[in-house]
Coordinates of all heavy atoms in Angstrom, one line a residue:
M176 N -60.8 0.0 8.6 CA -59.4 -0.3 8.8 C -58.5 0.8 8.2 O -58.7 1.2 7.1 CB -59.0 -1.7 8.3 CG -57.7 -2.1 8.5 SD -57.5 -3.8 7.9 CE -56.0 -4.2 8.8
E177 N -57.5 1.3 8.9 CA -56.6 2.3 8.4 C -55.6 1.7 7.5 O -55.1 0.6 7.7 CB -55.9 3.0 9.6 CG -56.8 4.0 10.3 CD -56.0 4.8 11.3 OE1 -54.8 5.1 11.0 OE2 -56.6 5.2 12.3
D178 N -55.1 2.5 6.6 CA -54.1 2.1 5.7 C -52.7 2.2 6.4 O -52.4 3.3 6.9 CB -54.0 3.0 4.4 CG -53.0 2.6 3.4 OD1 -52.3 1.6 3.6 OD2 -52.9 3.3 2.4
S179 N -52.0 1.2 6.5 CA -50.7 1.2 7.3 C -49.5 1.4 6.5 O -48.4 1.4 7.0 CB -50.6 -0.1 8.1 OG -50.5 -1.2 7.1
T180 N -49.7 1.7 5.2 CA -48.5 2.0 4.3 C -47.9 3.3 4.7 O -48.5 4.2 5.1 CB -48.9 2.0 2.8 OG1 -49.9 3.0 2.6 CG2 -49.4 0.6 2.4
C181 N -46.6 3.4 4.5 CA -45.8 4.6 4.8 C -45.9 5.5 3.6 O -45.6 5.0 2.4 CB -44.4 4.3 5.1 SG -44.2 3.4 6.7
K182 N -46.1 6.7 3.8 CA -46.0 7.7 2.8 C -44.5 8.0 2.6 O -43.8 8.2 3.5 CB -46.7 9.0 3.2 CG -46.8 10.1 2.1 CD -47.6 11.2 2.6 CE -47.8 12.2 1.5 NZ -48.7 13.3 1.9
M183 N -44.1 8.0 1.3 CA -42.7 8.2 1.0 C -42.4 9.2 -0.1 O -43.2 9.3 -1.0 CB -42.1 6.8 0.6 CG -40.6 6.9 0.4 SD -40.0 5.2 0.1 CE -38.3 5.5 -0.2
K184 N -41.4 10.0 0.1 CA -41.0 10.9 -0.9 C -39.6 10.5 -1.4 O -38.7 10.2 -0.6 CB -40.9 12.3 -0.3 CG -42.3 13.0 -0.1 CD -42.2 14.4 0.2 CE -43.5 15.0 0.4 NZ -43.5 16.5 0.6
L185 N -39.5 10.5 -2.7 CA -38.2 10.2 -3.3 C -37.6 11.5 -3.9 O -38.4 12.3 -4.4 CB -38.3 9.2 -4.4 CG -38.7 7.8 -4.0 CD1 -39.0 7.0 -5.3 CD2 -37.7 7.1 -3.2
G186 N -36.3 11.7 -3.8 CA -35.7 12.8 -4.4 C -35.6 12.6 -5.9 O -35.3 11.5 -6.4
V187 N -35.7 13.6 -6.7 CA -35.5 13.6 -8.1 C -34.2 14.4 -8.4 O -34.1 15.6 -8.1 CB -36.7 14.2 -8.9 CG1 -36.4 14.0 -10.4 CG2 -38.0 13.5 -8.5
Y188 N -33.2 13.7 -9.0 CA -31.9 14.3 -9.1 C -31.4 14.3 -10.5 O -31.8 13.5 -11.4 CB -30.9 13.4 -8.2 CG -31.3 13.4 -6.8 CD1 -32.0 12.4 -6.2 CD2 -30.9 14.5 -5.9 CE1 -32.4 12.4 -4.9 CE2 -31.2 14.5 -4.6 CZ -32.0 13.5 -4.1 OH -32.4 13.5 -2.8
T189 N -30.4 15.2 -10.8 CA -29.8 15.3 -12.1 C -28.5 15.9 -11.9 O -28.1 16.4 -10.9 CB -30.7 16.1 -13.0 OG1 -30.2 16.1 -14.3 CG2 -30.9 17.6 -12.5
V190 N -27.7 15.9 -13.0 CA -26.4 16.6 -13.1 C -26.5 17.7 -14.2 O -27.0 17.4 -15.3 CB -25.3 15.6 -13.4 CG1 -24.0 16.3 -13.6 CG2 -25.2 14.6 -12.2
Y191 N -26.1 18.9 -13.8 CA -26.2 20.0 -14.7 C -24.8 20.2 -15.3 O -23.8 20.1 -14.6 CB -26.6 21.3 -14.0 CG -26.6 22.5 -14.8 CD1 -27.6 22.8 -15.7 CD2 -25.6 23.5 -14.7 CE1 -27.6 23.9 -16.5 CE2 -25.6 24.7 -15.4 CZ -26.6 24.9 -16.3 OH -26.7 26.0 -17.1
D192 N -24.7 20.4 -16.6 CA -23.5 20.7 -17.3 C -23.4 22.2 -17.6 O -24.2 22.8 -18.3 CB -23.5 20.0 -18.7 CG -22.1 20.0 -19.4 OD1 -21.6 21.1 -19.5 OD2 -21.7 19.0 -19.8
K193 N -22.4 22.8 -16.9 CA -22.2 24.3 -17.0 C -21.8 24.7 -18.4 O -22.1 25.9 -18.8 CB -21.2 24.8 -16.0 CG -21.6 24.6 -14.5 CD -20.6 25.1 -13.6 CE -19.5 24.1 -13.3 NZ -18.6 24.5 -12.2
L194 N -21.2 23.9 -19.1 CA -20.7 24.2 -20.5 C -21.9 24.2 -21.5 O -22.0 25.2 -22.2 CB -19.6 23.3 -20.9 CG -18.9 23.7 -22.2 CD1 -18.2 25.0 -22.1 CD2 -17.9 22.6 -22.6
T195 N -22.6 23.2 -21.5 CA -23.8 23.1 -22.4 C -25.0 23.7 -21.9 O -26.0 23.9 -22.7 CB -24.1 21.6 -22.7 OG1 -24.6 21.0 -21.5 CG2 -22.9 20.8 -23.3
K196 N -25.0 24.1 -20.6 CA -26.2 24.7 -20.0 C -27.4 23.8 -20.1 O -28.5 24.3 -20.3 CB -26.4 26.1 -20.5 CG -25.3 27.1 -20.3 CD -25.6 28.5 -20.8 CE -24.6 29.5 -20.6 NZ -23.3 29.3 -20.2
E197 N -27.2 22.5 -19.8 CA -28.3 21.5 -19.8 C -28.2 20.6 -18.7 O -27.2 20.3 -18.2 CB -28.2 20.7 -21.1 CG -28.5 21.5 -22.4 CD -28.4 20.6 -23.6 OE1 -27.7 19.5 -23.6 OE2 -29.0 21.0 -24.6
F198 N -29.4 20.2 -18.2 CA -29.6 19.2 -17.2 C -29.6 17.8 -17.9 O -30.2 17.6 -18.9 CB -30.8 19.4 -16.4 CG -30.8 20.6 -15.5 CD1 -31.2 21.8 -15.9 CD2 -30.2 20.4 -14.2 CE1 -31.2 22.9 -15.0 CE2 -30.2 21.5 -13.4 CZ -30.6 22.8 -13.8
Q199 N -29.0 16.8 -17.3 CA -29.0 15.4 -17.8 C -30.4 14.8 -17.4 O -31.1 15.4 -16.6 CB -27.9 14.6 -17.3 CG -26.5 15.1 -17.8 CD -25.3 14.4 -17.3 OE1 -25.5 13.5 -16.5 NE2 -24.2 14.7 -17.8
N200 N -30.6 13.6 -17.9 CA -31.9 12.9 -17.6 C -32.0 12.7 -16.1 O -31.0 12.2 -15.4 CB -32.0 11.6 -18.3 CG -32.2 11.7 -19.8 OD1 -32.7 12.7 -20.2 ND2 -31.8 10.7 -20.5
P201 N -33.1 13.0 -15.5 CA -33.3 12.9 -14.0 C -33.5 11.4 -13.6 O -33.9 10.6 -14.4 CB -34.5 13.7 -13.7 CG -35.3 13.7 -15.0 CD -34.3 13.7 -16.1
F202 N -33.3 11.2 -12.3 CA -33.5 9.8 -11.8 C -33.8 10.0 -10.3 O -33.6 11.1 -9.7 CB -32.3 8.9 -12.0 CG -31.0 9.5 -11.5 CD1 -30.5 9.3 -10.2 CD2 -30.2 10.3 -12.4 CE1 -29.3 9.9 -9.8 CE2 -29.0 10.9 -12.0 CZ -28.6 10.7 -10.7
N203 N -34.4 9.0 -9.7 CA -34.8 9.0 -8.3 C -33.8 8.3 -7.4 O -33.2 7.4 -7.7 CB -36.2 8.3 -8.1 CG -37.3 8.9 -8.9 OD1 -37.3 10.1 -9.1 ND2 -38.2 8.1 -9.4
M204 N -33.7 8.9 -6.2 CA -32.9 8.3 -5.1 C -33.7 8.6 -3.8 O -34.5 9.5 -3.7 CB -31.5 9.0 -5.0 CG -30.6 8.7 -6.1 SD -29.7 7.2 -5.6 CE -28.8 7.0 -7.1
P205 N -33.4 7.8 -2.8 CA -34.1 8.0 -1.5 C -34.0 9.4 -0.8 O -34.9 9.9 -0.3 CB -33.6 6.9 -0.6 CG -33.0 5.9 -1.5 CD -32.5 6.7 -2.7
N206 N -32.7 10.0 -0.9 CA -32.5 11.3 -0.3 C -31.2 11.9 -0.8 O -30.4 11.2 -1.6 CB -32.4 11.1 1.2 CG -31.4 10.2 1.7 OD1 -30.2 10.2 1.3 ND2 -31.8 9.2 2.6
D207 N -30.9 13.1 -0.4 CA -29.7 13.8 -0.9 C -28.4 13.1 -0.5 O -27.5 13.0 -1.4 CB -29.6 15.2 -0.3 CG -30.8 16.1 -0.7 OD1 -31.6 15.7 -1.6 OD2 -30.8 17.2 -0.2
S208 N -28.3 12.5 0.6 CA -27.1 11.8 1.1 C -26.8 10.6 0.2 O -25.6 10.4 -0.2 CB -27.2 11.4 2.5 OG -27.3 12.5 3.4
V209 N -27.8 9.8 -0.2 CA -27.6 8.7 -1.0 C -27.1 9.1 -2.4 O -26.2 8.6 -3.0 CB -28.8 7.8 -1.1 CG1 -28.7 6.7 -2.1 CG2 -29.1 7.2 0.3
F210 N -27.8 10.2 -2.9 CA -27.4 10.7 -4.2 C -26.0 11.2 -4.3 O -25.2 10.8 -5.2 CB -28.3 11.8 -4.6 CG -27.9 12.6 -5.8 CD1 -27.8 12.0 -7.1 CD2 -27.6 14.0 -5.7 CE1 -27.4 12.7 -8.2 CE2 -27.2 14.7 -6.8 CZ -27.1 14.1 -8.1
L211 N -25.6 11.9 -3.3 CA -24.2 12.5 -3.2 C -23.2 11.3 -3.1 O -22.1 11.4 -3.7 CB -24.0 13.5 -2.1 CG -24.8 14.8 -2.4 CD1 -24.8 15.7 -1.2 CD2 -24.3 15.5 -3.6
R212 N -23.5 10.3 -2.3 CA -22.6 9.1 -2.2 C -22.4 8.5 -3.5 O -21.3 8.1 -3.9 CB -23.2 8.2 -1.2 CG -22.3 6.9 -1.0 CD -22.9 5.9 0.0 NE -24.1 5.4 -0.5 CZ -25.0 4.7 0.2 NH1 -24.8 4.6 1.5 NH2 -26.1 4.3 -0.3
E213 N -23.5 8.3 -4.3 CA -23.4 7.7 -5.6 C -22.6 8.5 -6.6 O -21.8 8.0 -7.4 CB -24.8 7.4 -6.2 CG -25.6 6.4 -5.4 CD -24.8 5.0 -5.4 OE1 -24.3 4.6 -6.4 OE2 -24.7 4.4 -4.3
I214 N -22.7 9.9 -6.5 CA -21.9 10.7 -7.4 C -20.5 10.6 -7.1 O -19.6 10.4 -8.0 CB -22.4 12.2 -7.2 CG1 -23.7 12.5 -7.8 CG2 -21.3 13.2 -7.8 CD1 -23.8 12.4 -9.3
V215 N -20.1 10.5 -5.8 CA -18.7 10.4 -5.4 C -18.2 9.0 -5.9 O -17.1 8.9 -6.4 CB -18.5 10.6 -3.9 CG1 -17.1 10.1 -3.4 CG2 -18.8 12.0 -3.5
N216 N -19.0 8.0 -5.7 CA -18.6 6.6 -6.2 C -18.4 6.6 -7.7 O -17.4 6.0 -8.2 CB -19.7 5.6 -5.9 CG -19.7 5.2 -4.4 OD1 -18.7 5.5 -3.7 ND2 -20.8 4.7 -3.9
V217 N -19.2 7.4 -8.5 CA -19.0 7.5 -9.9 C -17.6 8.2 -10.2 O -16.8 7.7 -11.1 CB -20.1 8.3 -10.6 CG1 -19.7 8.7 -12.0 CG2 -21.4 7.5 -10.6
L218 N -17.3 9.2 -9.4 CA -16.0 9.9 -9.6 C -14.8 9.0 -9.2 O -13.7 9.1 -9.7 CB -16.0 11.2 -8.8 CG -17.0 12.2 -9.3 CD1 -17.0 13.4 -8.4 CD2 -16.7 12.6 -10.7
K219 N -15.0 8.1 -8.2 CA -13.9 7.2 -7.8 C -13.7 6.1 -8.7 O -12.6 5.5 -8.7 CB -14.3 6.6 -6.4 CG -14.2 7.6 -5.3 CD -14.5 6.8 -4.0 CE -14.4 7.6 -2.8 NZ -14.8 6.9 -1.5
D220 N -14.7 5.7 -9.5 CA -14.6 4.6 -10.5 C -13.5 4.8 -11.4 O -13.2 5.8 -12.0 CB -15.9 4.5 -11.2 CG -16.1 3.2 -12.0 OD1 -15.1 2.4 -12.1 OD2 -17.2 2.9 -12.4
D221 N -12.7 3.7 -11.7 CA -11.6 3.7 -12.6 C -12.0 3.9 -14.0 O -11.2 4.3 -14.9 CB -10.8 2.4 -12.4 CG -10.0 2.4 -11.2 OD1 -9.7 3.5 -10.6 OD2 -9.6 1.3 -10.7
K222 N -13.2 3.5 -14.3 CA -13.7 3.6 -15.7 C -14.0 5.0 -16.1 O -14.5 5.8 -15.3 CB -15.0 2.7 -15.9 CG -14.7 1.3 -15.6 CD -16.1 0.5 -15.7 CE -15.8 -0.9 -15.3 NZ -17.1 -1.6 -15.0
D223 N -13.8 5.3 -17.4 CA -14.2 6.7 -17.8 C -15.7 6.7 -17.9 O -16.3 5.8 -18.3 CB -13.6 6.9 -19.2 CG -12.2 7.5 -19.1 OD1 -11.8 8.0 -18.1 OD2 -11.5 7.5 -20.2
N224 N -16.2 7.9 -17.6 CA -17.7 8.1 -17.7 C -17.8 9.6 -18.0 O -16.9 10.4 -17.7 CB -18.5 7.6 -16.5 CG -18.0 8.2 -15.2 OD1 -18.1 9.5 -15.1 ND2 -17.5 7.5 -14.3
E225 N -19.0 10.0 -18.5 CA -19.3 11.4 -18.9 C -19.1 12.3 -17.7 O -18.5 13.4 -17.8 CB -20.7 11.5 -19.4 CG -20.9 12.8 -20.1 CD -20.0 13.2 -21.2 OE1 -19.5 12.2 -21.9 OE2 -19.7 14.4 -21.4
I226 N -19.5 11.9 -16.5 CA -19.4 12.8 -15.4 C -17.9 13.0 -15.0 O -17.5 14.1 -14.8 CB -20.2 12.3 -14.2 CG1 -21.7 12.4 -14.5 CG2 -19.9 13.1 -12.9 CD1 -22.6 11.8 -13.5
K227 N -17.2 11.9 -14.9 CA -15.8 12.0 -14.6 C -14.9 12.7 -15.6 O -14.1 13.5 -15.2 CB -15.3 10.5 -14.4 CG -13.9 10.5 -13.8 CD -13.5 9.0 -13.5 CE -12.2 8.9 -12.9 NZ -11.9 7.5 -12.6
K228 N -15.2 12.5 -16.9 CA -14.4 13.1 -17.9 C -14.5 14.7 -17.9 O -13.6 15.4 -18.2 CB -14.9 12.7 -19.3 CG -14.3 11.4 -19.7 CD -14.5 11.1 -21.2 CE -15.8 10.4 -21.4 NZ -16.0 10.1 -22.8
N229 N -15.7 15.1 -17.5 CA -16.0 16.6 -17.5 C -16.4 17.1 -16.2 O -17.2 17.9 -16.0 CB -17.0 16.9 -18.6 CG -16.6 16.5 -20.0 OD1 -15.6 17.0 -20.5 ND2 -17.3 15.6 -20.6
Q230 N -15.8 16.5 -15.2 CA -16.1 16.8 -13.8 C -16.2 18.3 -13.5 O -17.1 18.8 -12.8 CB -15.1 16.1 -12.8 CG -15.4 16.3 -11.4 CD -14.3 15.6 -10.5 OE1 -13.6 14.7 -11.0 NE2 -14.3 16.0 -9.3
K231 N -15.2 19.1 -14.0 CA -15.2 20.5 -13.7 C -16.4 21.3 -14.2 O -16.7 22.4 -13.7 CB -13.9 21.1 -14.2 CG -13.8 21.1 -15.7 CD -12.5 21.8 -16.2 CE -12.2 21.8 -17.7 NZ -13.3 21.7 -18.6
D232 N -17.1 20.7 -15.1 CA -18.3 21.4 -15.7 C -19.6 21.0 -15.1 O -20.6 21.4 -15.5 CB -18.3 21.1 -17.2 CG -17.1 21.6 -18.0 OD1 -16.6 22.6 -17.6 OD2 -16.7 20.9 -18.9
K233 N -19.6 20.1 -14.1 CA -20.8 19.5 -13.6 C -21.2 19.9 -12.2 O -20.3 20.2 -11.4 CB -20.6 17.9 -13.5 CG -20.1 17.3 -14.8 CD -21.2 17.4 -15.9 CE -20.6 16.6 -17.1 NZ -21.6 16.5 -18.2
V234 N -22.5 20.0 -12.0 CA -23.1 20.4 -10.7 C -24.2 19.4 -10.4 O -25.1 19.1 -11.3 CB -23.6 21.8 -10.7 CG1 -24.2 22.1 -9.3 CG2 -22.6 22.8 -11.1
A235 N -24.2 18.8 -9.2 CA -25.2 17.9 -8.8 C -26.4 18.6 -8.2 O -26.2 19.5 -7.4 CB -24.6 16.9 -7.7
Y236 N -27.6 18.3 -8.7 CA -28.8 19.0 -8.3 C -29.9 18.0 -7.8 O -30.0 16.9 -8.3 CB -29.4 19.7 -9.5 CG -29.0 21.1 -9.7 CD1 -27.9 21.4 -10.4 CD2 -29.8 22.2 -9.2 CE1 -27.5 22.7 -10.7 CE2 -29.4 23.5 -9.5 CZ -28.3 23.8 -10.2 OH -27.9 25.1 -10.4
R237 N -30.7 18.5 -6.8 CA -32.0 17.9 -6.5 C -33.0 18.8 -7.2 O -32.9 20.0 -7.0 CB -32.3 17.8 -5.0 CG -33.7 17.3 -4.8 CD -34.2 17.3 -3.4 NE -33.4 17.8 -2.3 CZ -33.5 19.1 -1.9 NH1 -34.3 20.0 -2.4 NH2 -32.7 19.5 -0.9
I238 N -33.9 18.3 -8.0 CA -34.8 19.2 -8.7 C -36.2 19.1 -8.2 O -37.0 20.0 -8.4 CB -34.8 19.0 -10.2 CG1 -35.0 17.5 -10.6 CG2 -33.4 19.5 -10.8 CD1 -35.1 17.3 -12.1
A239 N -36.5 18.0 -7.5 CA -37.9 17.9 -7.0 C -38.0 16.7 -5.9 O -37.0 16.0 -5.8 CB -38.8 17.5 -8.1
W240 N -39.1 16.7 -5.3 CA -39.5 15.5 -4.5 C -40.6 14.9 -5.2 O -41.5 15.6 -5.7 CB -39.9 15.9 -3.1 CG -38.7 16.5 -2.2 CD1 -38.5 17.7 -1.8 CD2 -37.6 15.7 -1.7 NE1 -37.4 17.8 -1.1 CE2 -36.8 16.6 -1.0 CE3 -37.3 14.4 -1.8 CZ2 -35.7 16.2 -0.4 CZ3 -36.1 14.0 -1.1 CH2 -35.3 14.9 -0.4
F241 N -40.7 13.5 -5.2 CA -41.8 12.8 -5.8 C -42.5 12.0 -4.7 O -41.9 11.2 -3.9 CB -41.3 11.8 -6.8 CG -42.3 10.9 -7.4 CD1 -43.3 11.4 -8.2 CD2 -42.4 9.6 -7.1 CE1 -44.3 10.6 -8.7 CE2 -43.4 8.8 -7.6 CZ -44.4 9.3 -8.4
D242 N -43.8 12.3 -4.5 CA -44.6 11.6 -3.5 C -45.1 10.3 -4.0 O -45.9 10.3 -5.0 CB -45.7 12.5 -3.0 CG -46.5 12.0 -1.9 OD1 -46.8 10.8 -1.9 OD2 -46.8 12.8 -0.9
T243 N -44.6 9.2 -3.5 CA -45.0 7.9 -4.1 C -46.5 7.5 -3.8 O -47.0 6.6 -4.4 CB -44.1 6.8 -3.5 OG1 -44.3 6.7 -2.1 CG2 -42.6 7.0 -3.9
E244 N -47.1 8.2 -2.9 CA -48.5 7.9 -2.6 C -49.4 8.7 -3.5 O -50.4 8.1 -4.0 CB -48.8 8.3 -1.1 CG -50.2 7.8 -0.6 CD -50.4 8.1 0.8 OE1 -49.8 7.3 1.6 OE2 -51.0 9.1 1.2
S245 N -49.2 10.0 -3.7 CA -50.1 10.8 -4.5 C -49.7 10.9 -5.9 O -50.5 11.3 -6.8 CB -50.1 12.2 -3.9 OG -48.8 12.9 -4.1
G246 N -48.4 10.5 -6.2 CA -47.9 10.6 -7.6 C -47.6 12.0 -8.0 O -47.4 12.3 -9.2
E247 N -47.5 12.9 -7.1 CA -47.2 14.3 -7.4 C -45.8 14.7 -7.1 O -45.1 14.2 -6.2 CB -48.2 15.2 -6.5 CG -49.6 15.0 -6.9 CD -50.5 15.9 -6.0 OE1 -50.1 16.6 -5.1 OE2 -51.8 15.9 -6.3
Y248 N -45.3 15.7 -7.9 CA -44.0 16.2 -7.7 C -44.1 17.6 -7.0 O -45.0 18.3 -7.2 CB -43.4 16.5 -9.1 CG -42.9 15.3 -9.8 CD1 -43.7 14.6 -10.7 CD2 -41.6 14.7 -9.6 CE1 -43.3 13.5 -11.4 CE2 -41.2 13.6 -10.3 CZ -42.1 13.0 -11.2 OH -41.6 11.9 -11.8
E249 N -43.1 17.8 -6.2 CA -43.0 19.1 -5.5 C -41.6 19.7 -5.9 O -40.6 19.1 -5.7 CB -43.0 18.9 -4.0 CG -42.7 20.1 -3.1 CD -42.5 19.7 -1.7 OE1 -43.0 18.7 -1.2 OE2 -41.7 20.4 -1.0
N250 N -41.7 20.9 -6.6 CA -40.4 21.5 -7.0 C -39.5 21.8 -5.8 O -40.0 22.2 -4.8 CB -40.7 22.8 -7.7 CG -41.3 22.6 -9.1 OD1 -41.0 21.6 -9.7 ND2 -42.1 23.5 -9.6
A251 N -38.3 21.4 -5.9 CA -37.3 21.6 -4.8 C -35.9 21.8 -5.4 O -35.0 21.1 -5.0 CB -37.4 20.4 -3.9
K252 N -35.8 22.6 -6.4 CA -34.5 22.7 -7.2 C -33.5 23.3 -6.2 O -33.6 24.4 -5.7 CB -34.7 23.6 -8.4 CG -33.5 23.7 -9.3 CD -33.9 24.5 -10.5 CE -32.6 24.8 -11.3 NZ -33.0 25.7 -12.4
K253 N -32.4 22.6 -6.1 CA -31.3 23.1 -5.3 C -30.0 22.5 -5.7 O -29.9 21.2 -5.9 CB -31.5 22.6 -3.8 CG -30.5 23.0 -2.8 CD -30.8 22.5 -1.4 CE -29.7 23.0 -0.5 NZ -29.9 22.5 0.9
A254 N -29.0 23.3 -6.0 CA -27.6 22.8 -6.3 C -27.1 22.2 -5.0 O -27.0 22.9 -4.0 CB -26.8 23.9 -6.8
L255 N -26.6 21.0 -5.1 CA -26.1 20.3 -3.9 C -24.6 20.2 -3.8 O -24.0 20.3 -2.7 CB -26.6 18.8 -3.8 CG -28.2 18.7 -3.8 CD1 -28.6 17.2 -3.9 CD2 -28.7 19.3 -2.5
L256 N -24.0 20.1 -5.0 CA -22.5 20.0 -5.0 C -21.9 20.3 -6.4 O -22.3 19.8 -7.4 CB -22.1 18.6 -4.6 CG -20.7 18.2 -4.6 CD1 -19.9 19.0 -3.5 CD2 -20.5 16.7 -4.4
D257 N -21.0 21.3 -6.4 CA -20.2 21.6 -7.6 C -19.1 20.5 -7.7 O -18.3 20.4 -6.8 CB -19.6 22.9 -7.6 CG -19.0 23.4 -8.9 OD1 -18.4 22.5 -9.5 OD2 -19.1 24.5 -9.2
L258 N -19.2 19.6 -8.7 CA -18.3 18.5 -8.8 C -16.8 19.0 -9.0 O -15.9 18.2 -8.7 CB -18.7 17.5 -9.9 CG -20.1 16.9 -9.7 CD1 -20.3 15.8 -10.7 CD2 -20.3 16.5 -8.3
N259 N -16.6 20.2 -9.4 CA -15.2 20.7 -9.5 C -14.6 20.8 -8.1 O -13.4 20.8 -8.0 CB -15.3 22.1 -10.2 CG -13.9 22.6 -10.5 OD1 -13.1 21.8 -11.1 ND2 -13.6 23.8 -10.3
D260 N -15.4 20.9 -7.0 CA -14.9 21.0 -5.7 C -14.5 19.6 -5.1 O -14.0 19.6 -4.0 CB -15.9 21.7 -4.8 CG -16.2 23.1 -5.2 OD1 -15.3 23.7 -5.8 OD2 -17.3 23.6 -4.9
V261 N -14.9 18.5 -5.8 CA -14.6 17.2 -5.2 C -13.2 16.7 -5.6 O -12.9 16.7 -6.8 CB -15.7 16.2 -5.7 CG1 -15.4 14.8 -5.2 CG2 -17.1 16.6 -5.3
K262 N -12.4 16.4 -4.7 CA -11.1 15.9 -4.9 C -11.0 14.5 -4.4 O -11.2 14.2 -3.3 CB -10.0 16.7 -4.1 CG -10.1 18.2 -4.4 CD -9.9 18.6 -5.8 CE -10.0 20.1 -6.0 NZ -10.7 20.5 -7.2
I263 N -10.7 13.6 -5.4 CA -10.7 12.2 -5.1 C -9.2 11.7 -4.9 O -8.4 12.0 -5.7 CB -11.3 11.3 -6.2 CG1 -12.7 11.7 -6.4 CG2 -11.2 9.8 -5.9 CD1 -13.7 11.5 -5.3
K264 N -8.9 11.1 -3.7 CA -7.6 10.6 -3.4 C -7.4 9.3 -4.1 O -8.3 8.5 -4.1 CB -7.4 10.5 -1.9 CG -7.3 11.8 -1.2 CD -7.1 11.6 0.3 CE -7.2 12.9 1.0 NZ -7.1 12.7 2.5
K265 N -6.2 9.1 -4.8 CA -5.9 7.9 -5.5 C -5.2 6.9 -4.6 O -4.5 7.2 -3.7 CB -5.1 8.2 -6.7 CG -5.8 9.2 -7.6 CD -6.1 8.6 -8.9 CE -6.8 9.7 -9.7 NZ -7.3 9.2 -10.9

């Protein structure tokens, strides 16, 4: 009998701080679009947060793909969005 489970890759994402020259702790999301939507939601939030406070210094990155079947990472480092370019309408 064949295994009917779907092979899935999750994106591994982080935010880079241009001032400190450090990447924040990474986390998984299904894909780039979902990650970018979440970043924009964080910037829209009325509450202060580290990303919003220092938005001009931040860049959103995908750093890898994680294969949920094999448990292996595939390097895929790519800057997706400079948060300084994001303008939120109030």
Side-chain angles (χ1 to χ4, degrees):
M176 182 174 198
E177 283 188 33
D178 183 5
S179 62
T180 59
C181 291
K182 187 174 183 176
M183 184 171 177
K184 287 188 177 183
L185 294 173
V187 183
Y188 299 94
T189 185
V190 175
Y191 179 74
D192 188 313
K193 295 182 277 188
L194 188 63
T195 63
K196 297 183 177 12
E197 294 180 334
F198 289 93
Q199 296 179 353
N200 290 335
F202 51 92
N203 296 328
M204 288 273 175
N206 57 51
D207 294 355
S208 296
V209 173
F210 170 63
L211 292 172
R212 179 181 66 196
E213 290 304 313
I214 288 290
V215 170
N216 287 339
V217 166
L218 295 174
K219 285 181 179 178
D220 193 345
D221 288 338
K222 298 175 187 168
D223 273 344
N224 59 63
E225 190 60 31
I226 292 174
K227 189 175 180 178
K228 277 195 272 186
N229 300 300
Q230 179 180 344
K231 67 180 177 18
D232 299 326
K233 308 292 185 175
V234 181
Y236 268 86
R237 177 190 358 98
I238 55 174
W240 292 110
F241 175 70
D242 187 314
T243 61
E244 187 175 285
S245 69
E247 295 179 356
Y248 286 94
E249 173 189 332
N250 287 332
K252 187 176 173 186
K253 179 180 181 182
L255 300 174
L256 178 65
D257 187 323
L258 301 189
N259 192 43
D260 296 336
V261 178
K262 307 299 181 220
I263 303 295
K264 292 180 183 177
K265 304 246 177 184

